[in-house]
mmCIF file with all atom_site columns, all heavy atoms in Angstrom:
data_model
loop_
_atom_site.group_PDB
_atom_site.id
_atom_site.type_symbol
_atom_site.label_atom_id
_atom_site.label_alt_id
_atom_site.label_comp_id
_atom_site.label_asym_id
_atom_site.label_entity_id
_atom_site.label_seq_id
_atom_site.pdbx_PDB_ins_code
_atom_site.Cartn_x
_atom_site.Cartn_y
_atom_site.Cartn_z
_atom_site.occupancy
_atom_site.B_iso_or_equiv
_atom_site.pdbx_formal_charge
_atom_site.auth_seq_id
_atom_site.auth_comp_id
_atom_site.auth_asym_id
_atom_site.auth_atom_id
_atom_site.pdbx_PDB_model_num
ATOM 1  N N   . ASP A 1 15  ? 103.328 -33.771 20.422  1.00 95.00 ? 15  ASP A N   1
ATOM 2  C CA  . ASP A 1 15  ? 103.393 -32.768 21.481  1.00 95.00 ? 15  ASP A CA  1
ATOM 3  C C   . ASP A 1 15  ? 104.562 -31.824 21.187  1.00 95.00 ? 15  ASP A C   1
ATOM 4  O O   . ASP A 1 15  ? 105.286 -31.991 20.198  1.00 95.00 ? 15  ASP A O   1
ATOM 5  C CB  . ASP A 1 15  ? 103.505 -33.431 22.860  1.00 95.00 ? 15  ASP A CB  1
ATOM 6  C CG  . ASP A 1 15  ? 104.783 -34.241 23.052  1.00 95.00 ? 15  ASP A CG  1
ATOM 7  O OD1 . ASP A 1 15  ? 105.830 -33.937 22.424  1.00 95.00 ? 15  ASP A OD1 1
ATOM 8  O OD2 . ASP A 1 15  ? 104.746 -35.202 23.839  1.00 95.00 ? 15  ASP A OD2 1
ATOM 9  N N   . GLN A 1 17  ? 107.558 -31.371 22.486  1.00 96.00 ? 17  GLN A N   1
ATOM 10 C CA  . GLN A 1 17  ? 108.880 -31.982 22.368  1.00 96.00 ? 17  GLN A CA  1
ATOM 11 C C   . GLN A 1 17  ? 109.016 -32.741 21.053  1.00 96.00 ? 17  GLN A C   1
ATOM 12 O O   . GLN A 1 17  ? 110.045 -32.666 20.386  1.00 96.00 ? 17  GLN A O   1
ATOM 13 C CB  . GLN A 1 17  ? 109.144 -32.916 23.556  1.00 96.00 ? 17  GLN A CB  1
ATOM 14 C CG  . GLN A 1 17  ? 110.535 -33.509 23.566  1.00 96.00 ? 17  GLN A CG  1
ATOM 15 C CD  . GLN A 1 17  ? 111.621 -32.450 23.663  1.00 96.00 ? 17  GLN A CD  1
ATOM 16 O OE1 . GLN A 1 17  ? 111.493 -31.462 24.365  1.00 96.00 ? 17  GLN A OE1 1
ATOM 17 N NE2 . GLN A 1 17  ? 112.700 -32.660 22.922  1.00 96.00 ? 17  GLN A NE2 1
ATOM 18 N N   . GLU A 1 18  ? 107.985 -33.450 20.653  1.00 96.00 ? 18  GLU A N   1
ATOM 19 C CA  . GLU A 1 18  ? 108.015 -34.191 19.385  1.00 96.00 ? 18  GLU A CA  1
ATOM 20 C C   . GLU A 1 18  ? 108.099 -33.234 18.196  1.00 96.00 ? 18  GLU A C   1
ATOM 21 O O   . GLU A 1 18  ? 108.775 -33.514 17.207  1.00 96.00 ? 18  GLU A O   1
ATOM 22 C CB  . GLU A 1 18  ? 106.784 -35.086 19.272  1.00 96.00 ? 18  GLU A CB  1
ATOM 23 C CG  . GLU A 1 18  ? 106.809 -36.256 20.244  1.00 96.00 ? 18  GLU A CG  1
ATOM 24 C CD  . GLU A 1 18  ? 105.471 -36.970 20.337  1.00 96.00 ? 18  GLU A CD  1
ATOM 25 O OE1 . GLU A 1 18  ? 104.427 -36.289 20.342  1.00 96.00 ? 18  GLU A OE1 1
ATOM 26 O OE2 . GLU A 1 18  ? 105.473 -38.212 20.407  1.00 96.00 ? 18  GLU A OE2 1
ATOM 27 N N   . ALA A 1 29  ? 117.007 -33.285 6.816   1.00 96.00 ? 29  ALA A N   1
ATOM 28 C CA  . ALA A 1 29  ? 116.566 -33.750 5.493   1.00 96.00 ? 29  ALA A CA  1
ATOM 29 C C   . ALA A 1 29  ? 116.780 -32.680 4.428   1.00 96.00 ? 29  ALA A C   1
ATOM 30 O O   . ALA A 1 29  ? 117.263 -32.978 3.327   1.00 96.00 ? 29  ALA A O   1
ATOM 31 C CB  . ALA A 1 29  ? 115.104 -34.175 5.550   1.00 96.00 ? 29  ALA A CB  1
ATOM 32 N N   . SER A 1 84  ? 105.420 -15.817 -10.113 1.00 51.00 ? 84  SER A N   1
ATOM 33 C CA  . SER A 1 84  ? 105.800 -16.734 -9.042  1.00 51.00 ? 84  SER A CA  1
ATOM 34 C C   . SER A 1 84  ? 104.603 -17.426 -8.409  1.00 51.00 ? 84  SER A C   1
ATOM 35 O O   . SER A 1 84  ? 104.746 -18.400 -7.700  1.00 51.00 ? 84  SER A O   1
ATOM 36 C CB  . SER A 1 84  ? 106.585 -15.988 -7.957  1.00 51.00 ? 84  SER A CB  1
ATOM 37 O OG  . SER A 1 84  ? 105.755 -15.021 -7.355  1.00 51.00 ? 84  SER A OG  1
ATOM 38 N N   . LEU A 1 94  ? 102.390 -34.846 7.186   1.00 97.00 ? 94  LEU A N   1
ATOM 39 C CA  . LEU A 1 94  ? 102.884 -35.915 8.048   1.00 97.00 ? 94  LEU A CA  1
ATOM 40 C C   . LEU A 1 94  ? 101.753 -36.416 8.938   1.00 97.00 ? 94  LEU A C   1
ATOM 41 O O   . LEU A 1 94  ? 100.984 -35.627 9.484   1.00 97.00 ? 94  LEU A O   1
ATOM 42 C CB  . LEU A 1 94  ? 104.048 -35.414 8.898   1.00 97.00 ? 94  LEU A CB  1
ATOM 43 C CG  . LEU A 1 94  ? 105.284 -34.984 8.103   1.00 97.00 ? 94  LEU A CG  1
ATOM 44 C CD1 . LEU A 1 94  ? 106.334 -34.405 9.037   1.00 97.00 ? 94  LEU A CD1 1
ATOM 45 C CD2 . LEU A 1 94  ? 105.857 -36.144 7.307   1.00 97.00 ? 94  LEU A CD2 1
ATOM 46 N N   . ARG A 1 141 ? 102.161 -48.702 -12.580 1.00 82.00 ? 141 ARG A N   1
ATOM 47 C CA  . ARG A 1 141 ? 103.474 -49.300 -12.868 1.00 82.00 ? 141 ARG A CA  1
ATOM 48 C C   . ARG A 1 141 ? 104.593 -48.251 -12.778 1.00 82.00 ? 141 ARG A C   1
ATOM 49 O O   . ARG A 1 141 ? 105.653 -48.511 -12.216 1.00 82.00 ? 141 ARG A O   1
ATOM 50 C CB  . ARG A 1 141 ? 103.429 -49.921 -14.254 1.00 82.00 ? 141 ARG A CB  1
ATOM 51 C CG  . ARG A 1 141 ? 104.637 -50.707 -14.609 1.00 82.00 ? 141 ARG A CG  1
ATOM 52 C CD  . ARG A 1 141 ? 104.397 -51.433 -15.902 1.00 82.00 ? 141 ARG A CD  1
ATOM 53 N NE  . ARG A 1 141 ? 105.647 -51.933 -16.418 1.00 82.00 ? 141 ARG A NE  1
ATOM 54 C CZ  . ARG A 1 141 ? 105.772 -52.555 -17.534 1.00 82.00 ? 141 ARG A CZ  1
ATOM 55 N NH1 . ARG A 1 141 ? 104.719 -52.775 -18.292 1.00 82.00 ? 141 ARG A NH1 1
ATOM 56 N NH2 . ARG A 1 141 ? 106.935 -52.992 -17.940 1.00 82.00 ? 141 ARG A NH2 1
ATOM 57 N N   . ILE A 1 163 ? 123.191 -40.595 12.976  1.00 95.00 ? 163 ILE A N   1
ATOM 58 C CA  . ILE A 1 163 ? 122.102 -40.311 13.901  1.00 95.00 ? 163 ILE A CA  1
ATOM 59 C C   . ILE A 1 163 ? 121.835 -41.604 14.666  1.00 95.00 ? 163 ILE A C   1
ATOM 60 O O   . ILE A 1 163 ? 121.589 -42.644 14.052  1.00 95.00 ? 163 ILE A O   1
ATOM 61 C CB  . ILE A 1 163 ? 120.814 -39.875 13.160  1.00 95.00 ? 163 ILE A CB  1
ATOM 62 C CG1 . ILE A 1 163 ? 121.004 -38.527 12.490  1.00 95.00 ? 163 ILE A CG1 1
ATOM 63 C CG2 . ILE A 1 163 ? 119.634 -39.829 14.122  1.00 95.00 ? 163 ILE A CG2 1
ATOM 64 C CD1 . ILE A 1 163 ? 119.776 -38.058 11.724  1.00 95.00 ? 163 ILE A CD1 1
ATOM 65 N N   . PHE A 1 178 ? 105.821 -48.545 0.040   1.00 52.00 ? 178 PHE A N   1
ATOM 66 C CA  . PHE A 1 178 ? 105.146 -47.253 -0.035  1.00 52.00 ? 178 PHE A CA  1
ATOM 67 C C   . PHE A 1 178 ? 105.106 -46.596 1.323   1.00 52.00 ? 178 PHE A C   1
ATOM 68 O O   . PHE A 1 178 ? 104.807 -47.231 2.322   1.00 52.00 ? 178 PHE A O   1
ATOM 69 C CB  . PHE A 1 178 ? 103.708 -47.415 -0.554  1.00 52.00 ? 178 PHE A CB  1
ATOM 70 C CG  . PHE A 1 178 ? 103.668 -47.858 -1.975  1.00 52.00 ? 178 PHE A CG  1
ATOM 71 C CD1 . PHE A 1 178 ? 103.431 -49.187 -2.292  1.00 52.00 ? 178 PHE A CD1 1
ATOM 72 C CD2 . PHE A 1 178 ? 103.897 -46.963 -2.994  1.00 52.00 ? 178 PHE A CD2 1
ATOM 73 C CE1 . PHE A 1 178 ? 103.418 -49.611 -3.602  1.00 52.00 ? 178 PHE A CE1 1
ATOM 74 C CE2 . PHE A 1 178 ? 103.887 -47.378 -4.316  1.00 52.00 ? 178 PHE A CE2 1
ATOM 75 C CZ  . PHE A 1 178 ? 103.639 -48.699 -4.620  1.00 52.00 ? 178 PHE A CZ  1
#
Side-chain angles (χ1 to χ4, degrees):
D15 63 28
Q17 184 61 39
E18 290 168 320
S84 64
L94 297 176
R141 187 172 166 183
I163 293 179
F178 293 101

